[in-house]
Amino acid sequence: MDSQKFWSFIASLRKEKGWTQLELANKLNVTDKAVSKWERGMGFPDLKIIEPLAEALDVSITEIIHAEKFQKSIWRNFRGKW
């Protein structure tokens, strides 16, 4: 995972929702300091947080891992290769 791409993706999705770091943290049962670390590229969330993070930000787990949104047609093609 590219940490800079990841942190900017997470921050932009959070801001699109109009949430503070604390609001996102509360949804994930983590601290706002943890969210701040992710958004500054100082670390990544634990694997157990990836699915709830994706759900909270309305993206797929694959989109979180790749740190980019996929168009629906691309996502269908991507999923078909698994």
Side-chain angles (χ1 to χ4, degrees):
M1 254 194 259
D2 178 338
S3 66
Q4 183 175 6
K5 188 176 177 185
F6 179 82
W7 69 256
S8 64
F9 184 63
I10 298 302
S12 69
L13 292 173
R14 177 184 59 78
K15 290 174 185 176
E16 281 177 16
K17 294 203 166 281
W19 295 340
T20 64
Q21 289 179 340
L22 180 59
E23 289 171 315
L24 177 58
N26 287 338
K27 293 177 186 310
L28 301 172
N29 296 315
V30 298
T31 66
D32 58 331
K33 291 181 190 316
V35 174
S36 176
K37 283 175 98 173
W38 306 337
E39 291 187 1
R40 290 182 293 126
M42 304 297 290
F44 292 99
D46 289 338
L47 286 176
K48 66 183 178 183
I49 298 295
I50 297 296
E51 184 175 2
L53 179 61
E55 288 175 7
L57 296 173
D58 293 323
V59 294
S60 69
I61 294 170
T62 304
E63 289 170 312
I64 287 286
I65 292 169
H66 288 275
E68 63 183 272
K69 284 187 178 182
F70 298 126
Q71 294 175 348
K72 290 194 184 283
S73 61
I74 292 172
W75 175 241
R76 270 188 239 123
N77 290 338
F78 187 76
R79 282 182 42 194
K81 293 180 182 179
W82 290 79

